[in-house]
Coordinates of all heavy atoms in Angstrom, one line a residue:
K1 N 142.6 87.1 101.3 CA 143.5 88.2 101.4 C 142.9 89.3 102.4 O 143.6 90.2 102.8 CB 143.8 88.8 100.1 CG 144.6 87.9 99.2 CD 145.2 88.5 98.0 CE 146.1 87.5 97.3 NZ 146.8 88.1 96.2
L2 N 141.7 89.2 102.8 CA 141.1 90.2 103.7 C 141.7 90.1 105.1 O 141.7 91.1 105.8 CB 139.6 90.0 103.8 CG 138.8 90.4 102.5 CD1 137.4 89.9 102.6 CD2 138.9 91.9 102.4
K3 N 142.3 89.0 105.5 CA 142.9 88.9 106.8 C 144.4 89.3 106.8 O 145.0 89.3 107.8 CB 142.8 87.4 107.3 CG 141.3 87.0 107.5 CD 140.6 87.9 108.5 CE 139.2 87.5 108.7 NZ 138.4 88.4 109.5
Q4 N 144.9 89.6 105.6 CA 146.3 90.1 105.5 C 146.4 91.4 106.3 O 145.4 92.1 106.4 CB 146.8 90.3 104.1 CG 147.0 89.0 103.3 CD 147.4 89.3 101.9 OE1 147.7 90.4 101.5 NE2 147.5 88.2 101.1
R5 N 147.6 91.7 106.7 CA 147.8 93.0 107.4 C 148.8 93.9 106.7 O 149.7 93.4 106.0 CB 148.4 92.7 108.8 CG 147.4 91.9 109.7 CD 147.9 91.7 111.1 NE 146.9 90.9 111.8 CZ 145.9 91.5 112.5 NH1 145.7 92.8 112.5 NH2 145.1 90.7 113.2
D6 N 148.6 95.2 106.8 CA 149.5 96.2 106.2 C 150.6 96.4 107.2 O 150.8 95.8 108.2 CB 148.7 97.5 105.9 CG 148.3 98.3 107.1 OD1 148.5 97.8 108.2 OD2 147.7 99.4 106.9
K7 N 151.5 97.4 106.8 CA 152.6 97.7 107.6 C 152.3 98.2 109.0 O 153.1 98.1 110.0 CB 153.5 98.8 106.9 CG 154.1 98.2 105.7 CD 154.9 99.3 105.0 CE 155.5 98.7 103.7 NZ 156.2 99.7 102.9
K8 N 151.1 98.8 109.2 CA 150.6 99.2 110.5 C 149.9 98.1 111.3 O 149.3 98.4 112.3 CB 149.8 100.5 110.3 CG 150.5 101.6 109.8 CD 149.6 102.8 109.6 CE 150.3 104.0 108.9 NZ 149.4 105.1 108.6
R9 N 149.9 96.9 110.7 CA 149.2 95.8 111.3 C 147.7 95.8 111.3 O 147.0 95.1 112.0 CB 149.7 95.5 112.8 CG 151.2 95.5 113.0 CD 151.9 94.3 112.3 NE 151.3 93.0 112.7 CZ 151.3 91.9 112.0 NH1 151.7 92.0 110.7 NH2 150.7 90.8 112.4
K10 N 147.1 96.6 110.4 CA 145.7 96.6 110.3 C 145.3 95.6 109.2 O 146.0 95.4 108.2 CB 145.2 98.0 109.8 CG 145.3 99.1 110.8 CD 144.7 100.3 110.3 CE 144.8 101.5 111.3 NZ 144.2 102.7 110.7
T11 N 144.2 94.9 109.4 CA 143.8 93.9 108.4 C 143.2 94.7 107.2 O 142.7 95.8 107.3 CB 142.7 92.9 108.9 OG1 141.5 93.7 109.2 CG2 143.2 92.1 110.1
I12 N 143.3 94.0 106.0 CA 142.7 94.6 104.8 C 141.2 94.8 105.0 O 140.7 95.9 104.6 CB 143.0 93.7 103.6 CG1 144.5 93.6 103.4 CG2 142.3 94.3 102.4 CD1 145.3 94.9 103.2
E13 N 140.6 93.9 105.7 CA 139.2 94.0 106.0 C 138.8 95.3 106.8 O 137.9 96.0 106.5 CB 138.7 92.7 106.7 CG 137.3 92.6 106.9 CD 136.9 91.2 107.4 OE1 137.8 90.6 108.1 OE2 135.8 90.7 107.1
D14 N 139.7 95.5 107.8 CA 139.5 96.8 108.6 C 139.7 98.0 107.8 O 139.0 99.0 108.0 CB 140.4 96.7 109.9 CG 139.9 95.8 110.9 OD1 138.7 95.4 110.9 OD2 140.8 95.4 111.8
I15 N 140.7 98.0 107.0 CA 141.0 99.2 106.1 C 139.9 99.5 105.2 O 139.5 100.6 105.1 CB 142.3 98.9 105.3 CG1 143.5 98.8 106.3 CG2 142.5 100.0 104.2 CD1 144.8 98.3 105.6
I16 N 139.3 98.4 104.6 CA 138.2 98.6 103.7 C 137.0 99.1 104.5 O 136.3 100.1 104.1 CB 137.8 97.3 103.0 CG1 138.9 97.0 102.0 CG2 136.5 97.4 102.2 CD1 138.8 95.6 101.4
H17 N 136.7 98.5 105.6 CA 135.6 99.0 106.5 C 135.7 100.5 106.8 O 134.8 101.2 106.7 CB 135.5 98.1 107.7 CG 134.5 98.7 108.8 ND1 133.2 98.5 108.7 CD2 134.8 99.4 109.9 CE1 132.6 99.1 109.7 NE2 133.5 99.7 110.4
N18 N 136.9 100.8 107.3 CA 137.1 102.2 107.8 C 136.9 103.2 106.6 O 136.3 104.3 106.8 CB 138.4 102.4 108.4 CG 138.5 101.7 109.8 OD1 137.5 101.4 110.4 ND2 139.7 101.3 110.1
F19 N 137.5 102.9 105.5 CA 137.4 103.7 104.3 C 135.9 103.9 103.8 O 135.4 105.0 103.6 CB 138.2 103.2 103.1 CG 138.0 103.9 101.9 CD1 138.7 105.1 101.6 CD2 137.1 103.5 100.9 CE1 138.5 105.8 100.5 CE2 136.9 104.2 99.7 CZ 137.6 105.4 99.5
L20 N 135.2 102.8 103.7 CA 133.8 102.8 103.2 C 132.9 103.5 104.1 O 132.0 104.3 103.7 CB 133.3 101.4 102.8 CG 134.1 100.7 101.7 CD1 133.5 99.3 101.5 CD2 134.0 101.5 100.4
T21 N 133.0 103.3 105.4 CA 132.1 104.0 106.4 C 132.5 105.5 106.4 O 131.6 106.3 106.5 CB 132.2 103.4 107.8 OG1 133.5 103.3 108.2 CG2 131.6 102.0 107.8
K22 N 133.7 105.9 106.3 CA 134.1 107.3 106.3 C 133.7 108.0 105.1 O 133.2 109.1 105.1 CB 135.6 107.4 106.5 CG 136.1 108.8 106.4 CD 137.6 108.9 106.5 CE 138.1 110.3 106.4 NZ 139.5 110.4 106.3
N23 N 133.9 107.4 103.9 CA 133.6 108.1 102.6 C 132.2 107.8 102.0 O 131.8 108.6 101.2 CB 134.7 107.6 101.6 CG 136.0 108.2 102.0 OD1 136.3 109.3 101.7 ND2 136.9 107.4 102.6
F24 N 131.6 106.8 102.4 CA 130.3 106.4 101.8 C 129.2 106.2 102.9 O 128.0 106.0 102.5 CB 130.4 105.2 100.9 CG 131.3 105.4 99.8 CD1 132.7 105.1 99.9 CD2 130.8 105.9 98.6 CE1 133.5 105.3 98.8 CE2 131.7 106.1 97.5 CZ 133.0 105.8 97.6
N25 N 129.5 106.3 104.1 CA 128.6 106.2 105.3 C 128.1 104.8 105.5 O 127.7 104.5 106.6 CB 127.4 107.2 105.2 CG 127.9 108.6 105.3 OD1 128.8 108.9 106.0 ND2 127.3 109.4 104.5
S26 N 128.0 104.0 104.5 CA 127.5 102.6 104.6 C 128.0 101.7 103.5 O 128.4 102.3 102.5 CB 126.0 102.6 104.7 OG 125.5 103.0 103.5
Y27 N 127.9 100.4 103.7 CA 128.2 99.5 102.6 C 127.6 98.1 103.0 O 127.2 97.9 104.1 CB 129.7 99.4 102.4 CG 130.5 98.7 103.5 CD1 130.8 97.4 103.4 CD2 130.9 99.4 104.6 CE1 131.5 96.8 104.5 CE2 131.6 98.8 105.7 CZ 131.9 97.5 105.6 OH 132.6 96.9 106.6
T28 N 127.6 97.2 102.0 CA 127.2 95.9 102.3 C 128.3 94.9 101.8 O 129.1 95.3 100.9 CB 125.9 95.5 101.6 OG1 126.0 95.6 100.2 CG2 124.7 96.3 102.2
V29 N 128.3 93.7 102.4 CA 129.3 92.7 102.0 C 128.5 91.4 101.8 O 127.7 91.0 102.6 CB 130.4 92.5 103.0 CG1 131.4 91.4 102.6 CG2 131.1 93.8 103.4
D30 N 128.8 90.8 100.6 CA 128.2 89.5 100.3 C 129.3 88.4 100.5 O 130.4 88.6 100.0 CB 127.6 89.4 98.9 CG 126.5 90.3 98.7 OD1 125.6 90.4 99.6 OD2 126.4 91.0 97.6
T31 N 129.0 87.4 101.2 CA 129.9 86.3 101.3 C 129.1 85.0 100.8 O 127.9 85.0 100.6 CB 130.3 86.0 102.7 OG1 129.2 85.8 103.5 CG2 131.1 87.2 103.3
G32 N 129.9 84.0 100.6 CA 129.3 82.8 100.1 C 130.0 82.3 98.9 O 131.2 82.4 98.8
N33 N 129.2 81.8 98.0 CA 129.8 81.2 96.7 C 130.0 82.2 95.7 O 129.2 82.3 94.7 CB 128.9 80.1 96.2 CG 128.8 78.9 97.2 OD1 129.8 78.6 97.9 ND2 127.7 78.3 97.3
I34 N 130.9 83.1 95.9 CA 131.3 84.1 94.9 C 132.6 83.8 94.3 O 133.7 84.0 94.9 CB 131.3 85.5 95.5 CG1 130.0 85.8 96.2 CG2 131.6 86.6 94.5 CD1 130.0 87.0 97.1
F35 N 132.6 83.2 93.1 CA 133.8 82.7 92.5 C 134.1 83.6 91.3 O 133.2 84.1 90.6 CB 133.6 81.2 92.0 CG 133.2 80.3 93.0 CD1 132.0 79.6 92.9 CD2 134.0 80.1 94.1 CE1 131.6 78.8 93.9 CE2 133.6 79.2 95.1 CZ 132.4 78.5 95.0
G36 N 135.4 83.7 91.0 CA 135.8 84.4 89.8 C 136.7 83.5 89.0 O 137.6 82.9 89.5
Y37 N 136.5 83.6 87.7 CA 137.4 82.8 86.7 C 137.9 83.8 85.7 O 137.1 84.7 85.2 CB 136.6 81.7 86.0 CG 136.1 80.6 87.0 CD1 134.9 80.7 87.6 CD2 136.9 79.5 87.2 CE1 134.4 79.8 88.5 CE2 136.4 78.5 88.1 CZ 135.2 78.6 88.7 OH 134.8 77.7 89.5
W38 N 139.1 83.7 85.2 CA 139.6 84.5 84.2 C 140.9 83.8 83.6 O 141.4 82.9 84.2 CB 140.0 85.9 84.6 CG 141.1 86.0 85.7 CD1 142.4 86.2 85.5 CD2 140.9 85.7 87.1 NE1 143.1 86.1 86.7 CE2 142.2 85.8 87.7 CE3 139.8 85.4 87.9 CZ2 142.4 85.7 89.0 CZ3 140.1 85.3 89.3 CH2 141.3 85.4 89.8
K39 N 141.3 84.2 82.4 CA 142.5 83.7 81.8 C 143.6 84.7 81.8 O 143.3 85.9 81.6 CB 142.2 83.3 80.3 CG 141.5 82.0 80.2 CD 141.6 81.4 78.8 CE 141.1 80.0 78.8 NZ 141.3 79.3 77.6
E40 N 144.7 84.3 82.2 CA 145.9 85.1 82.2 C 147.1 84.3 81.6 O 147.4 83.2 82.1 CB 146.2 85.6 83.7 CG 147.3 86.6 83.7 CD 147.4 87.3 85.1 OE1 146.3 87.5 85.7 OE2 148.5 87.5 85.5

């Protein structure tokens, strides 16, 4: 879902990046085998 775009055509990934750097000055991202399981 990070490659999805909002109404202004920005990717979710870019929106998150811009917000975190503006409000927290830095962040890290982990990629790889990060799986989530839950019951609904």
Side-chain angles (χ1 to χ4, degrees):
K1 294 192 175 186
L2 288 167
K3 298 299 179 190
Q4 289 181 3
R5 296 185 181 271
D6 70 355
K7 292 178 183 177
K8 296 178 184 175
R9 306 295 304 147
K10 291 183 180 179
T11 65
I12 299 304
E13 190 169 29
D14 286 340
I15 293 167
I16 293 170
H17 169 80
N18 292 336
F19 173 83
L20 294 178
T21 54
K22 177 182 175 188
N23 290 279
F24 297 91
N25 297 322
S26 64
Y27 70 97
T28 60
V29 180
D30 295 319
T31 61
N33 297 326
I34 305 168
F35 306 117
Y37 296 89
W38 63 97
K39 281 199 170 186
E40 189 167 318

